[in-house]
Amino acid sequence: QVQVVESGGGLVQAGGSLRLSCAASGIIFSINAMGWYRQAPGKQRELVATITSGLRTNYADSVKGRFTISRDNVKNTAYLQMNSLKPEDTAVYYCKAVRGNYIYWGQGTQVTVSS
């Protein structure tokens, strides 16, 4: 079993920055991909960014150039640095960890960007 806990959300003005953290614990060997997803009110959950154990990254077009995903394989922690935030980035941000055929989600952290 893997536990995933997000932190770092909050309220920020447009143009500001936030850094989210995602810590994985438990049976953490062979965790390959980790990723960030978000869900705004009334919308479906969408991919924000993913990173493999080999540090290969993938981003949604809407965040390219503004967000950076990174990962510390020793600490089993993934990060999402969010810069130039926009009101449309407001959502609950969820972290996902993939281990073999199993997917683990965190509880989410709220990010609110005011205009």
Side-chain angles (χ1 to χ4, degrees):
Q1 191 75 321
V2 175
Q3 293 79 44
V4 177
V5 178
E6 305 98 336
S7 61
L11 173 64
V12 64
Q13 287 188 331
S17 299
L18 281 175
R19 187 192 194 209
L20 305 183
S21 298
C22 169
S25 61
I27 305 175
I28 55 178
F29 65 90
S30 297
I31 289 178
N32 34 41
M34 297 183 75
W36 289 96
Y37 293 71
R38 67 187 181 187
Q39 188 166 17
K43 295 187 177 181
Q44 290 188 331
R45 191 173 297 188
E46 63 177 6
L47 177 146
V48 176
T50 61
I51 186 167
T52 67
S53 57
L55 305 183
R56 185 168 59 211
T57 59
N58 180 53
Y59 294 92
D61 288 343
S62 59
V63 306
K64 282 181 181 177
R66 300 188 298 122
F67 291 10
T68 302
I69 190 170
S70 60
R71 178 171 174 174
D72 184 330
N73 286 331
V74 174
K75 295 182 178 179
N76 294 296
T77 300
Y79 305 94
L80 186 68
Q81 178 66 44
M82 305 185 295
N83 298 327
S84 301
L85 282 161
K86 304 175 181 180
E88 51 263 43
D89 294 318
T90 295
V92 177
Y93 283 69
Y94 297 92
C95 180
K96 182 178 84 171
V98 179
R99 176 175 171 268
N101 294 325
Y102 296 93
I103 297 174
Y104 302 91
W105 289 96
Q107 293 297 310
T109 184
Q110 176 71 45
V111 171
T112 302
V113 184
S114 63
S115 57

